C-alpha cells in the first residue's frame, strides 16, 4: 500500500512530461481565430496600380497563404499549394510578405503560381495585423472574411487532409 | 581580483553597446523610459526566450518600430500592449494577466511548494524517534547496565 502514493505521483509526472515533450514550443495559439480578418488596402503583386482590399476576399471560403521569396520553408510547402490549386480547384490568396516585386515574381515563375491573387505587403503591415510571426502561415477565411483556422509553418499533406479540407467542406455547406 | 574587475567592466560595456542598439530618437526622457520598459516586457515570438529589446530577429525590429510609432502617436502603455495582445495573444507578455487559463501558471509553483511541504512534514514525522517498549528497554538495560524505564 505504501508505494501507491509515490507510484501515482510518478505516473502523473511521466504523463505531464510526456505531454510537454510532444507540444511544439513554437506554436502560439492565435487570438484571431473566429475574429474578422483585418481591413487592409494594398496593391496586387502583379500590378502596382491594382488595389486589393478585404472586400476582395469575401463571398466564399478561401485560403490565405503568407509567403515570401526569401522564405526557404515556403519552398517546402509550395508544391502542395500548386497541386491544391490545379487539381482540387482550391482558391488561394497569396500574401507576399516583406518582399520585393521582382524577387516575388521571379520566385512564382520558377516554382509555379497557385494564387488567384497575391497581396503585396512590402512593410509587413497586414502581416502585423494578422499576427504573422513565422512565414509561411496559412489562414482559412470563411465567406464572411472571418478567420477560422491558422497554420504556422509549412502546410503538409497531413494537415491539409485532417484539418483544412474538412473545414473548407464544412464552410462551403454552411455558406448560403 | 584584477581579472574579475576586467570581466565586470567588459560586461558593463556589453550592456552599454546593447542599449546603443536602439536607433530611435525620443521626444523626452519619459517616453524613452516607457519605450525601454515596454520593449523589456514584451516577448519576441521568433526567439521566444528573448524580449523585444534583446532580440535581433526581424520581427522584433518590426514590433519595436511599431511600439515606437505608437508612443509617438500618443498611445498609452495599455493601448500599445492591447494592440499586440490582440494580434499575438497573451504570449507576447512576459507577465500574463492573472485570469482563467493562467491561474495554473501563476499559482502552480505555490501548489508545488505546498505539496513539497506536506511531503517534508510526513517524512519528518515518520523519522521521529520511537520509544523502546518494555522488552526492548529491558534488553537495552541488560546490555548497557543502566536502567532506563519506558515512559
Amino acid at each position: 500500500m505504501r508505494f501507491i502514493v509515490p507510484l501515482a505521483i510518478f505516473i502523473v509526472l511521466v504523463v505531464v512530461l510526456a505531454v510537454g515533450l510532444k507540444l511544439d514550443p513554437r506554436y502560439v495559439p492565435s487570438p484571431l481565430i473566429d475574429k474578422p480578418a483585418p481591413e487592409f488596402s494594398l496593391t496586387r503583386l502583379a500590378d502596382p496600380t491594382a488595389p486589393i482590399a478585404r472586400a476582395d476576399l469575401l463571398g466564399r471560403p478561401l485560403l490565405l497563404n503568407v509567403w515570401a521569396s526569401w522564405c526557404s520553408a515556403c519552398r517546402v510547402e509550395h508544391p502542395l499549394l500548386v497541386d491544391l490549386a490545379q487539381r482540387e480547384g482550391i482558391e488561394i490568396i497569396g500574401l507576399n510578405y516583406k518582399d520585393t516585386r521582382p524577387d516575388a515574381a521571379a520566385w512564382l515563375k520558377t516554382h509555379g503560381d497557385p494564387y488567384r491573387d497575391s497581396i503585396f505587403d512590402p512593410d509587413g503591415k497586414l502581416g502585423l495585423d494578422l499576427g504573422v510571426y513565422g512565414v509561411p502561415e496559412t489562414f482559412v477565411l470563411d465567406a464572411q472574411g472571418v478567420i477560422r483556422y491558422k497554420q504556422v509553418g509549412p502546410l503538409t499533406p497531413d494537415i491539409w487532409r485532417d484539418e483544412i479540407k474538412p473545414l473548407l467542406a464544412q464552410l462551403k455547406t454552411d455558406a448560403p | 581580483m584584477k581579472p574579475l574587475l576586467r570581466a565586470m567592466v567588459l560586461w558593463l560595456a556589453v550592456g552599454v553597446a546593447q542599449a546603443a542598439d536602439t536607433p530611435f530618437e525620443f521626444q523626452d526622457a519619459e517616453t524613452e523610459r516607457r519605450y525601454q520598459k515596454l520593449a523589456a516586457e514584451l516577448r519576441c515570438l521568433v526567439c521566444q526566450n528573448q524580449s523585444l529589446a534583446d532580440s535581433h530577429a526581424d520581427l522584433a525590429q518590426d514590433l519595436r518600430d511599431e511600439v515606437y510609432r505608437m508612443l509617438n502617436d500618443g498611445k498609452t502603455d495599455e493601448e500599445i500592449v492591447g494592440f499586440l495582445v490582440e494580434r499575438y495573444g497573451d504570449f507576447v507578455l512576459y507577465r500574463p494577466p492573472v485570469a482563467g487559463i493562467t491561474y495554473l501558471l501563476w499559482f502552480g509553483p505555490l501548489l508545488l511548494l505546498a505539496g513539497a511541504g506536506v511531503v517534508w512534514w510526513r517524512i519528518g514525522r515518520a523519522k521521529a524517534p520511537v520509544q523502546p517498549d518494555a522488552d526492548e528497554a529491558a534488553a537495552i538495560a541488560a546490555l548497557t547496565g543502566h536502567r532506563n524505564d519506558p515512559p
Side-chain angles (χ1 to χ4, degrees):
Chain A
M1 266 319 272
R2 40 182 292 129
F3 61 84
I4 289 288
V5 170
L7 186 68
I9 292 175
F10 174 74
I11 289 172
V12 168
L13 208 62
V14 165
V15 169
V16 168
L17 293 178
V19 170
L21 273 177
K22 290 244 159 83
L23 288 177
D24 178 4
R26 288 189 52 82
Y27 172 72
V28 179
S30 176
L32 290 165
I33 304 295
D34 291 331
K35 301 250 170 68
E39 293 288 346
F40 63 94
S41 156
L42 292 162
T43 58
R44 286 165 213 256
L45 177 63
D47 182 357
T49 62
I52 185 165
R54 184 174 182 274
D56 295 306
L57 308 183
L58 305 181
R60 62 235 160 264
L62 46 75
L63 299 185
L64 179 68
N65 177 245
V66 187
W67 68 282
S69 66
W70 47 261
C71 149
S72 53
C74 297
R75 218 167 300 170
V76 175
E77 68 167 9
H78 205 68
L80 176 64
L81 295 179
V82 172
D83 195 54
L84 292 180
Q86 282 177 356
R87 291 211 314 203
E88 306 212 29
I90 302 300
E91 194 171 342
I92 309 172
I93 301 286
L95 172 57
N96 183 242
Y97 176 72
K98 300 187 78 174
D99 210 344
T100 66
R101 280 187 210 271
D103 285 349
W107 196 86
L108 285 184
K109 206 164 205 173
T110 313
H111 300 284
D113 184 353
Y115 305 117
R116 193 200 78 191
D117 276 308
S118 264
I119 307 162
F120 183 58
D121 184 19
D123 307 320
K125 287 284 170 212
L126 177 55
L128 180 72
D129 282 341
L130 282 168
V132 169
Y133 68 94
V135 199
E137 294 191 9
T138 304
F139 296 81
V140 177
L141 304 189
D142 69 13
Q144 285 76 42
V146 174
I147 297 167
R148 302 300 288 263
Y149 180 86
K150 177 186 177 182
Q151 162 70 25
V152 178
L155 214 57
T156 63
D158 284 351
I159 296 168
W160 163 252
R161 193 188 57 233
D162 299 338
E163 307 279 345
I164 299 181
K165 193 176 184 182
L167 176 61
L168 272 181
Q170 185 214 326
L171 290 177
K172 279 199 175 119
T173 52
D174 287 355
Chain B
M1 198 56 210
K2 263 210 175 132
L4 183 66
L5 199 69
R6 205 174 298 157
M8 283 168 74
V9 169
L10 270 176
W11 180 68
L12 275 175
V14 168
V16 171
Q18 275 185 343
D21 203 31
T22 311
F24 299 124
E25 302 258 331
F26 293 95
Q27 46 202 8
D28 52 54
E30 168 64 9
T31 312
E32 177 161 10
R33 193 194 59 75
R34 282 173 61 207
Y35 169 83
Q36 301 290 6
K37 185 161 165 278
L38 282 167
E41 277 189 8
L42 291 165
R43 181 172 177 183
C44 173
L45 288 108
V46 179
C47 359
Q48 298 187 338
N49 289 327
Q50 286 190 308
S51 69
L52 284 191
D54 297 334
S55 177
H56 290 275
D58 236 30
L59 181 80
Q61 184 60 55
D62 288 357
L63 295 181
R64 282 198 295 266
D65 291 348
E66 204 59 31
V67 169
Y68 176 68
R69 192 186 57 71
M70 286 189 280
L71 277 172
N72 281 346
D73 286 353
K75 297 265 168 58
T76 66
D77 291 1
E78 289 75 33
E79 283 170 326
I80 293 170
V81 167
F83 174 90
L84 289 167
V85 169
E86 252 173 49
R87 284 156 182 77
Y88 293 101
D90 287 341
F91 193 90
V92 294
L93 305 175
Y94 266 123
R95 284 190 294 159
V98 185
I101 195 162
T102 61
Y103 279 132
L104 196 61
L105 185 67
W106 280 100
F107 302 115
L110 275 182
L111 218 65
L112 280 180
L113 191 67
V118 168
V119 170
W120 188 56
W121 177 71
R122 286 186 52 150
I123 289 173
R125 246 181 27 150
K127 280 203 179 140
V130 179
Q131 294 295 337
D133 61 25
D135 290 344
E136 284 165 347
I140 291 167
L143 285 168
T144 60
H146 295 288
R147 264 203 74 72
N148 198 354
D149 285 319

